[in-house]
Amino acid sequence: MKLQNDLFLRAARGEQTERPPVWLMRQAGRILPQYRALRGSLSGFKELVETPHLAAEVTIQPVDEIGVDAAIIFSDILVIPEAMGLVYEMVEKKGPLFPQTIQSVKDVENLRSGAPAAEELNYVYEALKITKRELNGRVPLIGFSGAPWTILAYMVEGSGSKTFSKAKKFLYTQPEAAHLLLQKITDTTIAYLKNKVAAGADLIQIFDSWAGILTPEQYSTFAAPYIAQIAAAIDKVPVTVFAKNAWFAYAEIGRMDCNVIGVDWNTHPDFVRNAVGNEKVLQGNLDPCQLYAPAAEVEKATEEMLKKFGKGKHIANLGHGVYPDTPLDNVKVFVNTVKNG
Ligand code: CP3
């Protein structure tokens, strides 16, 4: 089906567009009252993720309500560990929890991986198909995964953490087990993302949320090579790599077979441009907390952000996911400022 609004995809491919497209990381979630109402009527987060027509409904809400130029499928990066054999729980007000974690090479050997693991995630592919049908060509649909290092971090740590010191310890003390696990995650992610593309994803974004806690050497050893494998394997649609706080890794990411590079709010777009050259498209990077300011300041800051990226090769977004208590009106100010800019 032909897209009515293909601005996001044209920009991602590096083509000239009349204005930068705009969407928000984590838009398909808690900022919308419609989401909270639906979520409150269910047993929990996982029911929403695992019920395809509900996941589709929540995916489309921000397109209707905020007018963003792309939808992102409602799911979570933690479906991959679960498909490999580690069940996750989403504890209300706390976040993810893995009752069982990875501690040894034996634990890694016991995990499923590759296409058989990816087959466990039919509910995600089904959600993509329903979403594509219901979007009816209005905007492109983004599919996503976590980067292998970020997925390993949750599988070893067992929950969120400020330091992920258990996960980093695993890299320092059991590097061979770590590489084995990273390769299994990579193989599963490639099969999963190819299935997502077959189900209708128009672009793939890889989230390396915990990139910034590694040393540059660790990043080059344990993170970048696996993302590079994934980016190279996804050949039918554009790929975005978002490695949060990994300012030291932009040159390496710039050499990957990806189209778009995410920029967090700590990093100046000029710095990234210098590191990656002129071909890549940049995505970002307003501080999500800026949206707590009065509307007039949100508008001004958004205009300043657009200026910093310059004309072309830019997809407007925040520097990380939108926070749940963000005033919805200010989200709309952000989006409309880009659209009217
Ligand atoms: O971006 C979108 O709108 C699509 C949906 C999406 C979710 N999670 C839904 C979600 C995406 C792209 C993710 C990615 C994700 N999940 C990441 C990478 C991006 C990032 O923010 O760094 C990570 C690290 C996770 C793991 C995860 N899932 C955590 C740490 C948490 C708890 C903290 C939190 O933000 O609530 C989740 C839960 C989660 N994933 C929610 C949503 C809407 C909140 C669940 C709820 O209470 O309804």
Side-chain angles (χ1 to χ4, degrees):
M1 173 177 306
K2 196 168 161 14
L3 285 164
Q4 290 146 38
N5 172 357
D6 64 352
L7 195 65
F8 171 72
L9 278 185
R10 282 189 283 130
R13 291 194 211 103
E15 293 170 26
Q16 288 265 351
T17 52
E18 40 290 18
R19 63 166 173 86
V22 57
W23 69 284
L24 290 87
M25 291 186 275
R26 298 296 198 102
Q27 67 189 16
R30 295 161 299 174
I31 44 167
L32 292 177
Q34 300 92 312
Y35 171 84
R36 287 198 291 263
L38 176 59
R39 171 83 164 71
S41 72
L42 303 174
S43 62
F45 175 76
K46 286 184 85 170
E47 186 181 350
L48 192 44
V49 167
E50 291 166 11
T51 311
H53 76 274
L54 296 179
E57 180 180 335
V58 169
T59 301
I60 297 171
Q61 284 172 351
V63 179
D64 292 335
E65 179 69 33
I66 313 172
V68 283
D69 294 309
I72 178 162
I73 190 71
F74 185 81
S75 185
D76 202 87
I77 62 170
L78 302 177
V79 301
I80 284 287
E82 185 156 288
M84 295 174 72
L86 276 197
V87 174
Y88 75 95
E89 296 168 8
M90 197 58 78
V91 184
E92 294 296 326
K93 301 204 162 63
K94 283 187 109 174
L97 181 77
F98 287 90
Q100 278 177 333
T101 57
I102 298 298
Q103 301 301 327
S104 67
V105 73
K106 187 123 197 18
D107 294 340
V108 180
E109 283 165 355
N110 285 335
L111 294 168
R112 262 190 303 272
S113 68
E119 268 170 35
E120 300 282 310
L121 298 171
N122 273 321
Y123 61 86
V124 182
Y125 316 135
E126 206 45 48
L128 281 150
K129 285 183 202 157
I130 297 171
T131 306
K132 275 303 266 193
R133 199 162 64 225
E134 292 182 353
L135 275 175
N136 200 17
R138 272 187 287 166
V139 291
L141 177 59
I142 302 170
F144 69 87
S145 76
W149 151 247
T150 285
I151 297 297
L152 175 148
Y154 284 102
M155 291 175 89
V156 173
E157 197 85 22
S159 66
S161 159
K162 281 209 173 81
T163 57
F164 278 94
S165 57
K166 289 185 198 132
K168 286 183 76 179
K169 176 179 169 189
F170 191 69
L171 303 186
Y172 281 115
T173 59
Q174 301 190 69
E176 283 171 19
H179 279 298
L180 188 63
L181 177 53
L182 289 162
Q183 193 58 54
K184 284 186 124 176
I185 296 168
T186 301
D187 295 345
T188 307
T189 302
I190 290 172
Y192 171 62
L193 293 177
K194 283 183 181 260
N195 291 346
K196 274 187 159 175
V197 172
D202 296 298
L203 174 144
I204 293 295
Q205 175 155 332
I206 302 165
F207 287 89
D208 208 355
S209 305
W210 297 107
I213 64 172
L214 295 181
T215 68
E217 293 76 17
Q218 281 181 315
Y219 202 78
S220 295
T221 308
F222 295 103
Y226 298 98
I227 301 176
Q229 280 187 49
I230 297 169
I234 303 304
D235 47 11
K236 293 202 169 74
V237 299
V239 173
T240 299
V241 175
F242 174 56
K244 188 167 178 286
N245 284 119
W247 56 272
F248 48 82
Y250 279 118
E252 201 167 6
I253 294 168
R255 290 192 292 273
M256 290 180 194
D257 190 7
C258 66
N259 307 71
V260 185
I261 297 177
V263 183
D264 57 67
W265 73 85
N266 300 107
T267 314
H268 197 291
D270 286 348
F271 176 87
V272 185
R273 187 52 81 201
N274 281 336
V276 306
N278 290 325
E279 289 304 307
K280 303 289 189 193
V281 175
L282 303 184
Q283 175 174 278
N285 80 339
L286 194 74
D287 180 2
C289 290
Q290 177 73 65
L291 300 183
Y292 295 121
E297 285 174 37
V298 173
E299 191 178 330
K300 197 161 150 256
T302 305
E303 284 164 356
E304 279 164 13
M305 176 202 74
L306 292 172
K307 254 191 236 135
K308 276 190 208 156
F309 280 90
K311 287 245 176 293
K313 303 240 163 162
H314 178 219
I315 295 168
N317 206 310
L318 303 178
H320 194 197
V322 61
Y323 299 129
D325 62 344
T326 305
L328 186 53
D329 284 343
N330 280 354
V331 173
K332 292 180 181 172
V333 170
F334 170 69
V335 169
N336 290 331
T337 304
V338 178
K339 288 176 129 180
N340 302 331

